[in-house]
């Protein structure tokens, strides 16, 4: 049940834009009753999914907000639908660690249809070879995958060639930090005659094929310069990494003491194993991800498992500062200690506070 008060806005108000705070005409008209908030109570499906995506209409209309695309939620729902009963903790771990993106596959398929119409791309051996790898990609973001390396760099260059000429550098940079590129590119690839395909900075009228060809050639040139001219070596592990940066570790050589990593990692921007980064050419350094992974069996809560991205302690000289980092990267879990006997058996030290002493 979504907490908080949901405002009733005048019909003319679009809350995604700057509103008039002086005239009073854009002010709230009140708040909806709490029972109108987005909610699921014992749904027929038997499960509830939340992946920062848009809640459905629960009687007050769609509540606007800064939501992710629904790709992760749909993938989780797809995985849950493969089994009706008999779920065990191992099943839930597999869902948390899943790296497949159906969104990427849909966009890739639209791109490939256009690229196949551009005959001269097949005349270049490197371009032709890279396209073969790209077509074979199954949407997984595993360490040995080639597809996500191509997709994410192409995603950036395509956005740049579609939008930057109209927006200019500053607005385009801000645009990349929103969810709009993901939402719009999927749609615009299906519109062969969209005005966005034309580059207003040139004297010619660019087509859909012109823009995608330009983005593809930039992608190939960039990845060749970064990782060599053999697409078989454009593995995700070579361009996707995470480093947990301490505030002092921002300055070298303190990074060697305070920072944790870097580590090569799987996962990606819009997959259940969410390890995200800004839309940009490779390499991709992770800037966001879950604060923990956890699986709780409510029939046996004492057997719950979990893992932190770094460790339990925030103190860099503590043994528990980074002792979970590599386990987290490998998709491993630790048993939670919830039983008092287990806690006492596992404890290594005791901290006693004496107020007033």
């Amino acid at each position: 049940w979504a907490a908080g008060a949901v405002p009733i806005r005048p019909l003319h108000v679009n809350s995604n834009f700057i509103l008039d705070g002086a005239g009073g005409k854009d002010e709230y008209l009140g708040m909806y009753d709490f029972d109108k908030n987005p909610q699921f109570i014992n749904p027929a499906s038997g499960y509830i999914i939340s992946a920062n995506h848009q809640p459905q209409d629960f009687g007050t209309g769609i509540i606007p907000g800064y939501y992710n695309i629904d790709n992760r939620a749909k993938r989780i729902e797809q995985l849950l639908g493969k089994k009706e009963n008999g779920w065990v903790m191992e099943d839930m771990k597999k869902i948390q660690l899943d790296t497949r993106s159906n969104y990427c596959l849909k966009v890739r398929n639209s791109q490939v249809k256009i690229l196949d119409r551009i005959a001269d791309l097949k005349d270049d051996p490197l371009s032709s070879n890279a396209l073969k790898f790209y077509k074979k990609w199954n949407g997984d973001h595993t360490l040995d995958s080639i597809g996500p390396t191509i997709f994410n760099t192409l995603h950036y260059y395509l956005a740049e060639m579609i939008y930057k000429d109209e927006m200019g550098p500053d607005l385009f940079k801000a645009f990349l930090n929103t969810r709009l590129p993901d939402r719009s590119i999927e749609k615009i690839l299906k519109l062969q005659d969209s005005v966005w395909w034309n580059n207003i900075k040139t004297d010619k009228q660019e087509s859909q094929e012109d823009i995608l060809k330009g983005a593809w050639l930039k992608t190939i040139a960039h990845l060749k310069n970064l990782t060599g001219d053999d697409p078989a070596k454009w593995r995700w592990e070579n361009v996707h990494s995470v480093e947990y940066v301490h505030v002092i570790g921002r300055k070298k050589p303190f990074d060697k003491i305070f920072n944790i990593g870097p580590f090569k990692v799987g996962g990606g921007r819009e997959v259940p194993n969410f390890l995200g980064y800004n839309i940009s050419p490779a390499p991709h350094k992770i800037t966001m991800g879950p604060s923990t992974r956890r699986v709780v069996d409510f029939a046996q809560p004492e057997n719950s498992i979990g893992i932190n991205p770094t460790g339990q302690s925030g103190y860099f000289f503590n043994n528990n500062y980074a002792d979970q980092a590599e386990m987290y990267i490998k998709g491993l879990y630790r048993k939670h200690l919830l039983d008092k006997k287990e806690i006492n058996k596992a404890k290594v030290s005791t901290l006693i506070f004496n107020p007033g002493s």
Side-chain angles (χ1 to χ4, degrees):
W1 197 307
V6 178
I8 303 171
R9 301 179 185 273
L11 293 177
H12 70 274
V13 165
N14 184 337
S15 61
N16 291 318
F17 293 92
I18 296 173
L19 304 179
D20 179 5
K25 62 184 180 65
D26 292 346
E27 299 295 329
Y28 295 167
L29 302 178
M31 298 291 176
Y32 286 104
D33 292 338
F34 187 68
D35 62 3
K36 297 294 192 300
N37 280 23
Q39 60 194 264
F40 284 109
I41 302 175
N42 296 329
S45 63
Y47 53 77
I48 296 172
I49 298 171
S50 176
N52 300 329
H53 64 297
Q54 171 78 61
Q56 68 186 63
D57 183 355
F58 288 86
T60 56
I62 294 294
I63 297 173
Y66 187 60
Y67 302 107
N68 289 359
I69 61 175
D70 60 3
N71 181 62
R72 275 190 294 152
K74 285 184 175 178
R75 177 60 179 164
I76 293 169
E77 187 172 20
Q78 182 184 36
L79 293 170
L80 288 172
K82 291 183 177 181
K83 190 173 180 178
E84 290 188 5
N85 51 48
W87 287 90
V88 295
M89 297 180 81
E90 283 298 317
D91 297 319
M92 303 311 298
K93 286 163 62 175
K94 289 178 181 178
I95 291 179
Q96 288 187 349
L97 299 172
D98 185 81
T99 68
R100 183 163 296 184
S101 171
N102 293 324
Y103 165 81
C104 290
L105 289 181
K106 286 192 294 183
V107 173
R108 187 276 313 269
N109 291 341
S110 296
Q111 293 168 345
V112 165
K113 285 181 181 178
I114 303 166
L115 291 169
D116 278 341
R117 299 200 298 261
I118 307 171
D120 57 344
L121 288 182
K122 299 171 186 176
D123 297 334
D124 176 65
L126 177 56
S127 172
S128 178
N129 196 18
L131 189 56
K132 289 178 183 177
F133 276 98
Y134 198 37
K135 288 180 178 181
K136 292 178 183 177
W137 182 38
N138 66 355
D140 285 342
H141 290 62
T142 53
L143 292 174
D144 59 350
S145 296
I146 309 298
T149 305
I150 299 174
F151 177 87
N152 283 278
T153 296
L154 179 59
H155 195 52
Y156 169 79
Y157 283 124
L158 188 55
E160 180 185 60
M161 294 197 69
I162 293 173
Y163 300 115
K164 192 174 181 180
D165 54 311
E166 283 91 358
M167 293 183 176
D170 292 336
L171 188 55
F172 177 69
K173 184 178 179 180
F175 175 70
L176 291 180
N177 290 324
T178 71
R179 292 296 177 185
L180 292 174
D182 294 325
R183 295 182 186 280
S184 61
I185 283 181
E186 181 184 8
K187 296 177 181 178
I188 201 171
L189 282 167
K190 299 174 183 177
L191 303 175
Q192 187 171 359
D193 299 323
S194 172
V195 295
W196 286 98
W197 293 120
N198 183 47
N199 185 343
I200 64 173
K201 302 293 186 181
T202 69
D203 294 329
K204 64 174 288 190
Q205 178 76 28
E206 283 80 12
S207 66
Q208 187 184 56
E209 287 84 356
D210 291 330
I211 296 301
L212 197 61
K213 177 182 177 180
W216 177 258
L217 292 177
K218 283 188 175 185
T219 299
I220 298 303
H222 179 82
L223 293 178
K224 176 184 176 181
N225 183 60
L226 183 68
T227 57
D229 59 3
D230 182 2
K233 296 181 180 178
W234 297 356
R235 293 159 61 98
W236 192 227
E237 65 180 342
N238 294 329
V239 300
H240 190 232
S241 64
V242 62
E243 182 175 11
Y244 301 98
V245 179
H246 190 282
V247 63
I248 300 176
R250 294 174 183 171
K251 293 291 184 181
K252 296 181 178 181
F254 298 111
D255 58 318
K256 305 300 182 186
I257 301 172
F258 294 92
N259 294 357
I260 302 172
F263 301 105
K264 297 178 179 182
V265 289
R269 288 181 63 242
E270 288 301 337
V271 298
N273 185 10
F274 179 72
L275 295 169
Y277 38 86
N278 295 326
I279 297 176
S280 63
H284 308 287
K285 294 185 178 180
I286 292 169
T287 58
M288 50 192 147
S291 60
T292 184
R293 295 191 188 112
R294 191 176 301 148
V295 181
V296 179
D297 182 347
F298 285 98
Q300 306 176 78
E302 67 278 4
N303 291 327
S304 302
I305 56 174
I307 193 74
N308 291 338
T310 53
Q312 188 68 20
S313 173
Y315 179 50
F316 56 89
F317 282 141
N318 190 287
N319 290 333
N320 303 121
Y321 178 60
D323 59 337
Q324 297 183 44
E326 291 195 50
M327 294 178 66
Y328 183 91
I329 297 302
K330 294 177 181 177
L332 302 176
Y333 292 74
R334 299 173 64 252
K335 185 179 184 298
H336 284 158
L337 299 179
L338 299 177
D339 179 78
K340 189 172 183 179
K341 290 181 180 179
E342 284 188 323
I343 294 171
N344 285 329
K345 185 178 179 180
K347 75 176 182 180
V348 294
S349 63
T350 303
L351 177 64
I352 299 175
F353 293 93
N354 291 311
S357 63

